[in-house]
Amino acid sequence: MAGEVIDRAMGALIAGALGDALGMPTQLLSPVRIAELYGHVEDFVAPDADHPVSKGLPAGAITDDTEQALLLGRILVESGEGFDHARWVNALLDWERDVKARGSYDLLGPSTKRAIDAINSGVPAEEAGRGGDTNGAAMRIAPVGIMMPPEPLDALVAKVAETCRATHNTSIAIASASAVAAAVSLGISGGDWRAASGHAVAAARLGATLGHWVTGGDIAARIVWAQE
């Protein structure tokens, strides 16, 4: 059983990285433009030389999403039972400096970029994420789903919210990240995709009650629509 759980956890991380690398050259492009540049993408391809954010990366390169997921996983392990928010913030700041040094700053998502800029300008980390309403938290959240059991669900969602505080402390971002983490957690415990998507709906509803409220779509309702 332990071996199966480890295999599923590895699968969640590896599949996320593979999807990230496959989508790297097509992100921010319209379907028409993707077809013009690459045709039907079914393998790793290098981004177009004029790509708005991915230019210069080799085929198969991961983006900030996978890098942040691995960084978050490391901080979760180092934090033990709790979550060391200060360690997480410092790790993000160090990572951002490294990204800049590598010339990949354009890859950073808008919410993370705004939050890090705010922290560097003196805004307390607890306040920097109050405008983070994009999907970066959901893209990096798999390690929380790996770490936390499916139940109690409120504990899982609370852990998600802790990791969102510095960059994505809004109702819609926490709802989205909670949905992904809950689905990953249930999948690792052996549940099928139907059970995992149902757990994601419940988690999204809980997550939507946390953080700073912002206008936006109902994540739980959209998952239900997809199920139907």
Side-chain angles (χ1 to χ4, degrees):
M1 179 63 73
E4 290 181 359
V5 170
I6 291 173
D7 285 347
R8 291 170 188 150
M10 289 292 292
L13 293 175
I14 292 170
L18 289 172
D20 186 23
L22 281 168
M24 174 271 294
T26 64
Q27 62 178 324
L28 303 182
L29 303 181
S30 70
V32 171
R33 186 60 175 153
I34 291 168
E36 290 174 349
L37 291 173
Y38 313 115
H40 180 68
V41 178
E42 55 185 16
D43 202 349
F44 299 128
V45 296
D48 182 70
D50 293 325
H51 193 284
V53 297
S54 300
K55 56 183 177 291
L57 293 178
I62 58 172
T63 75
D64 62 309
D65 294 325
T66 300
E67 291 189 8
Q68 285 189 58
L70 297 176
L71 185 65
L72 177 58
R74 192 194 87 202
I75 299 303
L76 287 167
V77 170
E78 293 175 354
S79 296
E81 291 295 319
F83 183 71
D84 191 333
H85 191 253
R87 185 189 291 262
W88 169 231
V89 171
N90 288 332
L92 280 174
L93 295 177
D94 288 343
W95 169 78
E96 183 248 8
R97 285 189 285 269
D98 178 64
V99 168
K100 279 185 175 178
R102 287 185 273 133
S104 298
Y105 189 61
D106 287 344
L107 281 171
L108 263 68
S111 294
T112 300
K113 188 179 293 186
R114 285 197 305 267
I116 290 177
D117 286 346
I119 294 169
N120 284 330
S121 298
V123 175
E126 290 72 18
E127 295 297 322
R130 63 184 301 134
D133 57 359
T134 50
N135 67 357
M139 299 296 282
R140 71 187 182 207
I141 205 64
V144 172
I146 292 170
M147 175 186 183
M148 299 294 291
E151 297 291 350
L153 186 58
D154 58 348
L156 184 152
V157 172
K159 183 71 73 174
V160 169
E162 284 187 273
T163 73
C164 292
R165 195 161 20 126
T167 58
H168 294 80
N169 194 14
T170 60
S171 52
I172 193 169
I174 296 172
S176 302
S178 295
V180 175
V184 169
S185 179
L186 200 73
I188 286 173
S189 72
D192 63 17
W193 73 267
R194 291 185 184 278
S197 63
H199 207 50
V201 170
R205 287 175 177 150
L206 275 178
T209 67
L210 304 176
H212 297 276
W213 185 87
V214 293
T215 186
D218 184 328
I219 301 301
R222 279 158 170 72
I223 299 171
V224 171
W225 295 344
Q227 289 173 321
E228 296 172 348

